[in-house]
Amino acid sequence: MSQTKTVTYLFDPLCGWCYGASPALASLAGIGGLALDLLPTGLFSGTGARPMDEGFAAYAWANDQRIQALTGQPFSGLYRTGILADRRRPFDSGPATLALTAVSMTAPDREFQALAAIQAARYVDGRDVTAVETLSDILAGLGLAAAAALVAGREGGQDGALAAATAARVERGRQLMAEHRASGVPTLLFDDGSHRRKLDSEILFNKPGRLAALLRAL
């Protein structure tokens, strides 16, 4: 039987709230007949990227503590000292978005796994996921050799098909945000095969099993 229901997940890989929502998204894996479609919105890439200065680092850490208290997702001391305290690297989700697009092109059923690994590398291990080398290493560690090669630039790289595919996905994500009047990420859209509607994002936080229960009932 073909899948007739789809959850579209609009996100940014450097969004702390999207990291907080990951357990709820992971709970959807066991639901038969349901597809999970990831679409980045480019919220913190391009013109949305910014320097990691003292003020923004303090704001991010305070927000991260709220997310941890609500969801249980950890934000480590390594992340605080290695990422938020680093003034050399900008806050830019562009490279991570490219990496996830590389996975979508080569092993689409593993994109959520790659997203979770990139999030854990940043927020738990304190690794710099704005660096292409780090991202390629993460993907290689997951056995995603083709995606890792794309990110590293050995198979066309960022100037070819990967960049074009990333731009197309981000544009599609932004179109859906506008179409459904979504004010930010994470945003969930549910399509039952005949109609697409926006779900209340609050269901992503606190008791992640609520989302799976809702979708099983729809």
Side-chain angles (χ1 to χ4, degrees):
M1 180 178 177
S2 62
Q3 291 172 321
T4 58
K5 298 179 181 180
T6 303
V7 170
T8 300
Y9 180 52
L10 302 171
F11 74 100
D12 188 281
L14 264 58
C15 163
W17 285 105
C18 297
Y19 170 58
S22 283
L25 269 294
S27 73
L28 304 185
I31 301 178
L34 182 71
L36 178 61
D37 183 24
L38 275 64
L39 274 181
T41 64
L43 180 63
F44 298 123
S45 63
T47 59
R50 56 161 299 148
M52 181 64 79
D53 55 29
E54 293 291 338
F56 184 70
Y59 166 80
W61 182 249
N63 203 44
D64 294 338
Q65 297 313 288
R66 290 178 55 214
I67 298 166
Q68 180 169 308
L70 184 62
T71 69
Q73 288 284 80
F75 293 82
S76 73
L78 289 173
Y79 158 68
R80 189 178 189 184
T81 58
I83 301 301
L84 295 184
D86 186 351
R87 301 293 172 261
R88 297 166 300 170
R89 291 277 188 175
F91 182 71
D92 182 3
S93 64
T97 302
L98 280 166
L100 291 168
T101 298
V103 178
S104 78
M105 293 168 66
T106 57
D109 59 327
R110 299 188 64 191
E111 187 178 0
F112 179 74
Q113 181 188 10
L115 171 61
I118 289 169
Q119 290 170 328
R122 176 180 174 83
Y123 294 115
V124 179
D125 301 330
R127 299 180 69 186
D128 177 19
V129 298
T130 69
V132 167
E133 298 81 6
T134 301
L135 293 162
S136 181
D137 183 63
I138 291 168
L139 298 183
L142 294 174
L144 297 167
L150 273 174
V151 172
R154 294 193 295 269
E155 300 293 341
Q158 298 177 15
D159 296 325
L162 179 57
T166 300
R169 295 179 81 210
V170 167
E171 178 59 25
R172 178 58 178 155
R174 290 175 174 173
Q175 287 175 351
L176 288 174
M177 290 283 287
E179 181 181 332
H180 292 274
R181 300 181 181 179
S183 58
V185 293
T187 288
L188 284 180
L189 304 176
F190 176 70
D191 189 340
D192 63 5
S194 60
H195 175 69
R196 181 189 290 124
R197 62 186 176 94
K198 182 162 66 77
L199 300 179
D200 185 350
S201 294
E202 288 298 319
I203 202 168
L204 288 164
F205 311 109
N206 195 5
K207 299 181 180 178
R210 291 170 57 214
L211 176 62
L214 170 67
L215 292 175
R216 283 191 176 97
L218 291 176

